[in-house]
Amino acid sequence: MNRDAITGPATGPADARGRVGGSAEAASPAAPSLRQLTPPASLLLVAAAGAWVGVVLLARDMGSMPGTMGLDAGSFVAVWVLMMAAMMLPAVVPFASLYSRTFTDGRGSRLGAFASGYLIVWTLAALPAYGLAWLAGRLAGGHPAAATVLAVAIFAACGAYQLTPVKDRCLARCRSPLAFLLKLGAYRGRTRDLRAGLCHGTFCVACCWALMAVLVAFGLMNVIAMVVLAGAVLAEKTLARGTGFSRALGVAALGLAVAVVFEPGLAPGLHYAGTGGMGGM
């Protein structure tokens, strides 16, 4: 992909300067739209739907068990990737659709390389997630007070991060992607789309890690919690007032950090007594 491709036939006659700074519409921080998707980008929704089917089938057998759900590191990574494909691919589809419009040929294979790079980053995120889940399992097994402290820390960290400028900057990369696409236009070679996916995935992890950490408190295979968090990620990236919604999520997480002190069952992923609650299947 090159910079000229962004303004070629697939995207219309406007030049790069016009699209970025030549009109109020281009300069506005509007999020990508879900209304007009390219066929290759729509296939990502099909992949996400398939991943959700797999998640539900797994959850029926595993439930919302605390910690690593009895999985070794390798199995945990595999389940984590399935979860992230289900939860995150819908949120990346608007960006992927806009990105695919910069292609003049081979849209399917090139977007596949982009999606692969994106999921590779989330696969790497499984390593710290496994460490946090392992700690949660150890505390849930015999240290209920410490488990509650961990729940407070997870909710408070999520709430605080949602209100930081770093969160805002990372979210802006997803909500206002045109300038980011121009940067990706500098990539060359056969691995350019894979590298673009790695780059976008890195910003996505930086944007959403705190929300994903909350899954440890709710239970990693808690389907209801997964649906709510996936919807929250999609909303903050695509709604017109997504930035305000993101801050509201932060306030809600801080509220949970206080509430869980008095009601530890709000964090079923840190208490074995709660494995049957909040969406365990």
Side-chain angles (χ1 to χ4, degrees):
M1 185 181 73
N2 53 48
R3 293 176 185 269
D4 294 335
I6 295 177
T7 57
T11 57
D15 60 27
R17 192 174 75 176
R19 292 186 69 84
V20 175
S23 69
E25 182 180 359
S28 68
S33 175
L34 281 168
R35 296 175 183 176
Q36 294 181 339
L37 302 180
T38 60
S42 299
L43 290 177
L44 295 182
L45 291 178
V46 176
W52 274 113
V53 171
V55 165
V56 171
L57 292 176
L58 283 175
R60 292 177 62 182
D61 295 329
M62 302 172 67
S64 298
M65 295 174 61
T68 63
M69 304 167 291
L71 300 174
D72 58 31
S75 298
F76 181 93
V77 170
V79 171
W80 174 267
V81 172
L82 183 67
M83 291 166 55
M84 292 303 103
M87 297 177 67
M88 301 306 300
L89 283 182
V92 81
V93 163
F95 182 94
S97 183
L98 184 59
Y99 180 69
S100 69
R101 291 179 188 276
T102 68
F103 306 159
T104 56
D105 54 16
R107 283 186 174 182
S109 59
R110 293 188 62 183
L111 197 58
F114 171 85
S116 297
Y118 180 83
L119 288 177
I120 285 172
V121 179
W122 276 107
T123 301
L124 295 176
L127 301 178
Y130 181 79
L132 181 62
W134 177 86
L135 176 62
R138 291 293 297 270
L139 296 181
H143 307 279
T148 298
V149 170
L150 181 59
V152 171
I154 290 173
F155 288 134
C158 176
Y161 185 72
Q162 289 289 119
L163 302 176
T164 63
V166 175
K167 167 72 179 191
D168 289 343
R169 286 196 293 269
C170 293
L171 183 58
R173 295 278 185 165
C174 299
R175 293 186 54 78
S176 304
L178 288 180
F180 188 38
L181 284 174
L182 288 175
K183 175 183 176 181
L184 297 181
Y187 290 171
R188 297 290 186 271
R190 294 183 178 179
T191 62
R192 56 191 173 184
D193 300 307
L194 179 66
R195 290 157 58 202
L198 291 170
C199 184
H200 184 62
T202 299
F203 277 105
C204 190
V205 170
C207 180
C208 302
W209 69 265
L211 292 172
M212 295 303 106
V214 168
L215 272 178
V216 174
F218 286 146
L220 283 167
M221 292 303 293
N222 186 325
V223 175
I224 290 179
M226 289 175 62
V227 170
V228 170
L229 288 172
V233 170
L234 181 63
E236 68 176 9
K237 290 187 176 185
T238 60
L239 290 181
R241 298 183 179 179
T243 302
F245 180 77
S246 176
R247 296 192 180 107
L249 289 175
V251 174
L254 291 175
L256 281 173
V258 175
V260 77
V261 175
F262 304 98
E263 183 50 64
L266 291 172
L270 284 160
H271 298 279
Y272 278 103
T275 55
M278 197 173 179
M281 296 183 65

